[in-house]
């Protein structure tokens, strides 16, 4: 039952659509009607409002962290993995939006910090490094989720590898259109012209 409670908690927190809520509150309309149609920070950035994008990124990260941390406080370590996976699923498939959400990169960053600091730092280091070098959000995100899964056993947290590997698989699957554009050299760069 604790695993079920943790998963429900994670899903409910993860499914809060901060990108949509913030853009609507700022009078920018429905962020799902622009760009990729996603509710994440990268698409919010396409509104031209960097502050809104940064706030979306931070809040999506915080909800992932909060889900894992609260589950750990209430039900202990094993429940954290269930909350982690459910938080990312909630962000990607929120019931309130017809199961059409974001791609889970920022939420998974928060999840990783919630599970263990070394995993979170590995995620952040790879994410920020790839973003700085290539300026391609999708490439940075996919690299980071793989790095986090690999970091779990390397830093002594093998119990978190299965959920992080599953999350990585999900996030890479959700980026399949981005992967196709990357292979064609057509993926947009942060700060560059959209293609």
């Amino acid at each position: 039952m604790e695993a079920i409670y943790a998963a429900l908690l994670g899903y409910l927190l993860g499914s809060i659509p901060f990108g949509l809520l913030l853009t609507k509150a700022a009078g920018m309309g429905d962020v799902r009607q622009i760009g990729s149609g996603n509710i994440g920070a990268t698409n919010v950035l396409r509104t031209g409002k960097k502050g809104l994008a940064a706030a979306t990124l931070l809040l999506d990260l915080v909800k992932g962290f909060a889900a894992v941390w609260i589950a750990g406080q209430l039900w202990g370590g094993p429940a954290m993995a269930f909350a982690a996976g459910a938080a990312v699923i909630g962000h990607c498939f929120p019931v309130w939006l017809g199961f059409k959400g974001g791609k889970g990169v920022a939420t998974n960053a928060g999840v990783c910090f919630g599970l263990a600091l070394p995993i979170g730092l590995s995620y952040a280091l790879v994410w920020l490094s790839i973003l700085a070098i290539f300026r391609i959000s999708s490439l940075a995100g996919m690299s980071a989720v793989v790095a986090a899964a690999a970091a779990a056993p390397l830093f002594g947290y093998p119990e978190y590898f299965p959920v992080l590997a599953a999350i990585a698989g999900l996030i890479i699957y959700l980026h399949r259109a981005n992967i196709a554009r990357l292979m064609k050299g057509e993926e947009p760069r942060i700060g560059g012209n959209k293609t």
Side-chain angles (χ1 to χ4, degrees):
M1 289 303 295
E2 291 177 349
I4 294 173
Y5 293 147
L8 286 173
L9 170 71
Y11 182 85
L12 290 174
L13 285 175
S15 67
I16 300 172
F18 284 117
L20 178 62
L21 296 174
L22 289 174
T23 50
K24 282 195 171 185
M28 303 300 296
D30 191 336
V31 71
R32 295 172 295 176
Q33 302 304 312
I34 66 168
S36 65
N38 288 320
I39 60 171
T42 299
N43 204 43
V44 172
L45 186 61
R46 294 188 176 104
T47 66
K49 301 294 184 180
K50 293 181 180 179
L52 281 181
T56 300
L57 177 68
L58 179 61
L59 289 171
D60 282 348
L61 190 154
V62 167
K63 71 185 183 183
F65 176 86
V68 174
W69 185 83
I70 293 170
Q73 296 300 305
L74 293 178
W75 303 295
M80 294 166 67
F82 289 93
V88 176
I89 290 171
H91 177 80
C92 298
F93 307 105
V95 63
W96 335 109
L97 304 181
F99 302 102
K100 295 179 181 179
K103 294 181 180 177
V105 173
T107 301
N108 194 36
V111 159
C112 289
F113 276 104
L115 290 173
L117 183 59
I119 299 175
L121 290 175
S122 299
Y123 192 105
L125 178 62
V126 172
W127 188 10
L128 294 174
S129 296
I130 298 297
L131 193 61
I133 295 168
F134 297 100
R135 294 187 297 113
I136 300 176
S137 178
S138 61
L139 181 62
M142 288 187 287
S143 300
V145 299
V146 172
L154 287 176
F155 287 105
Y157 302 95
E159 67 273 23
Y160 297 139
F161 174 77
V163 69
L164 290 173
I167 290 172
L170 171 63
I171 290 176
I172 290 171
Y173 173 77
L174 292 175
H175 280 84
R176 59 196 183 279
N178 304 84
I179 293 170
R181 288 193 295 271
L182 281 166
M183 294 177 69
K184 296 177 182 177
E186 299 174 352
E187 183 72 342
R189 296 176 183 268
I190 298 294
N193 294 327
K194 289 178 287 192
T195 58

